[in-house]
Amino acid sequence: AMEDVSAKFVSQKISRTRWRPLPAAALQLPDVFATGSWDNEDNRISIWSASDLGNAGLNGEYHGEPHLLCDIQHNGDVMDMQFLDQERIVVASSTGTVTIFRHHQNNQTLSANYRWEKAHYHVGQDTSCGGAACTGVVCSNPEIVTVGEDGRINLFRADQKDAVRTIDNADSSTLHAVTFLRTTEILTVNSIGQLKIWDLRQQRNEPSQIFSLAGDRVPLHCVDRHPNQQHIVATGGQDGMLSIWDIRHGTMPVSLLNAHEAEMWEVHFHPSDPDHLFTCSEDGSLWHWDTSTNVSEKPSFLHQGGRSTAYLSHSAINQSVVSAWLSNDPTKDRMEITNLIPNQTLSVNSLDVLGSCLVYGTDAEAIYVNRQLFA
């Protein structure tokens, strides 16, 4: 289905791609996305429109490519970014600075709206601190949480100059990524294979729970939690493995799934259809993991005792599908995996998925939009 994908070559290595959130109850397809770049002389935050894509021509062929609405220079590599709301984007820099950019939709410009200089920093021998990369950012408007190479966690509020809370030595190793577990709790992953839960209501600067990969302590690069079943968490690591965790039980992953041949950079559950999960990697691949296999085709676990599926309540069916993520080997009987990029190129650094639309960015200086994910 590669013909449904439109590519745009942008002469910048793309480190992050994010759809602008749709207004509540909006019916339209996602149409605007942001990108951030890295490893270029002049890094940029860019806003793109994909709205003229997906207008099929007379012969059903797709035409058009994403077009640039506006962009702005960014100091340092873009390490992570997230929309705070329809207009504002929070960006994490390799310099340690965290910036909120505002997209002015009336005249299509971007401006720096607010900046926390050196939110992350290494404490040197002298007093002039060197910045440490801010590796991850997650927002729940107005709250913004950042993590960094310095092992620090910051909680900012969009309208306040000083951090609401800082956990200085949260981790002795690099924190690579962060996400919300619920409004007052966050999950972090680090460079020694640990997943930690932090309760921001607690004044203690200790995690409330620590989980870890057995054995080799492979660095974990990315984390996401299931949008409806908040105890199900997915992480991806340096070895390309996908780990699924059930944070209610034990301290180790429920399943380890062989995935990519190199570092996994991002993992995302589909926000409204979490039977689908997406991962991308340094090896140039982007995988779609689908556990939504049609239950009626699985007589083995539904027709016990000759009962027909009509007797099964909707929730029973849902449970068996949802727990596919938690079965010891989800791949065995109920998972389909598709590589959405058959001709692998350079590293796929970032992906984002919303509705039926996928956007991803690569080191091959290109961004790609697929508006027919489930066609």
Side-chain angles (χ1 to χ4, degrees):
M2 286 300 283
E3 60 275 10
D4 298 330
V5 176
S6 53
K8 173 86 178 173
F9 291 92
V10 293
S11 65
Q12 297 209 318
K13 292 182 181 174
I14 298 297
S15 55
R16 284 295 181 262
T17 57
R18 297 288 182 254
W19 287 111
R20 181 175 75 190
L22 288 170
L27 294 173
Q28 80 262 35
L29 284 174
D31 59 344
V32 170
F33 64 91
T35 60
S37 70
W38 81 290
D39 198 26
N40 308 287
E41 286 195 5
D42 172 27
N43 288 305
R44 306 193 83 73
I45 305 296
S46 309
I47 306 282
W48 305 84
S49 166
S51 59
D52 52 352
L53 305 175
N55 300 332
L58 292 174
N59 307 323
E61 82 285 0
Y62 284 83
H63 50 74
E65 52 178 37
H67 67 264
L68 183 67
L69 295 175
C70 49
D71 66 352
I72 192 169
Q73 202 258 336
H74 177 266
N75 282 334
D77 292 340
V78 173
M79 303 294 289
D80 199 9
M81 63 187 208
Q82 188 131 40
F83 275 89
L84 181 66
D85 54 28
Q86 299 280 304
E87 300 194 325
R88 291 177 295 171
I89 312 162
V90 183
V91 181
S93 170
S94 57
T95 64
T97 296
V98 176
T99 310
I100 302 180
F101 290 95
R102 186 180 284 275
H103 174 209
H104 306 273
Q105 298 175 33
N106 49 357
N107 62 358
Q108 292 304 345
T109 56
L110 270 167
S111 64
N113 179 239
Y114 204 85
R115 185 171 277 136
W116 291 280
E117 299 280 352
K118 299 248 171 90
H120 294 272
Y121 55 89
H122 292 297
V123 179
Q125 300 307 313
D126 54 8
T127 47
S128 59
C129 304
C134 176
T135 51
V137 58
V138 66
C139 310
S140 175
N141 191 5
E143 253 94 42
I144 298 165
V145 177
T146 70
V147 296
E149 236 170 48
D150 51 0
R152 188 175 273 106
I153 298 174
N154 292 306
L155 171 60
F156 295 110
R157 212 161 266 134
D159 43 16
Q160 287 181 21
K161 184 163 69 78
D162 296 320
V164 178
R165 172 97 193 269
T166 294
I167 305 178
D168 267 330
N169 299 306
D171 212 297
S172 53
S173 60
T174 294
L175 288 169
H176 280 146
V178 59
T179 193
F180 277 102
L181 183 57
R182 40 185 76 83
T183 41
T184 55
E185 288 182 299
I186 55 167
L187 289 164
T188 59
V189 291
N190 70 12
S191 59
I192 56 170
Q194 292 173 322
L195 168 69
K196 298 183 183 180
I197 299 180
W198 305 82
D199 185 338
L200 298 173
R201 290 164 307 189
Q202 299 287 336
Q203 284 315 301
R204 309 182 302 127
N205 292 340
E206 302 288 326
S208 51
Q209 276 180 281
I210 301 180
F211 304 82
S212 65
L213 295 171
D216 291 343
R217 301 242 159 174
V218 175
L220 291 173
H221 286 303
C222 52
V223 58
D224 196 22
R225 73 144 171 80
H226 191 291
N228 318 335
Q229 308 262 321
Q230 296 184 342
H231 53 277
I232 301 178
V233 174
T235 62
Q238 184 171 289
D239 55 2
M241 296 279 272
L242 173 65
S243 308
I244 306 290
W245 313 69
D246 181 344
I247 60 173
R248 299 169 305 182
H249 307 298
T251 57
M252 286 162 60
V254 183
S255 53
L256 287 168
L257 302 170
N258 272 315
H260 302 278
E261 290 161 26
E263 289 93 335
M264 185 189 296
W265 293 131
E266 290 202 319
V267 56
H268 289 293
F269 283 102
H270 190 288
S272 53
D273 198 349
D275 292 339
H276 299 268
L277 177 127
F278 298 84
T279 58
C280 62
S281 166
E282 176 74 28
D283 68 11
S285 62
L286 191 159
W287 286 15
H288 173 191
W289 307 68
D290 176 4
T291 62
S292 70
T293 331
N294 188 345
V295 183
S296 60
E297 296 167 4
K298 302 273 185 202
S300 53
F301 69 90
L302 280 191
H303 296 283
Q304 292 111 350
R307 288 181 305 153
S308 82
T309 45
Y311 289 107
L312 272 166
S313 70
H314 183 64
S315 64
I317 291 182
N318 272 353
Q319 279 313 109
S320 57
V321 172
V322 166
S323 62
W325 286 120
L326 296 181
S327 75
N328 286 336
D329 181 7
T331 46
K332 202 158 65 229
D333 53 350
R334 24 182 156 152
M335 188 167 329
E336 248 180 276
I337 303 168
T338 315
N339 180 8
L340 298 179
I341 314 178
N343 312 321
Q344 299 188 347
T345 62
L346 297 175
S347 177
V348 182
N349 297 322
S350 183
L351 71 95
D352 196 26
V353 56
L354 190 58
S356 62
C357 302
L358 166 75
V359 59
Y360 59 94
T362 71
D363 271 354
E365 305 195 340
I367 46 182
Y368 298 85
V369 177
N370 176 347
R371 289 170 71 88
Q372 302 237 301
L373 257 188
F374 301 115

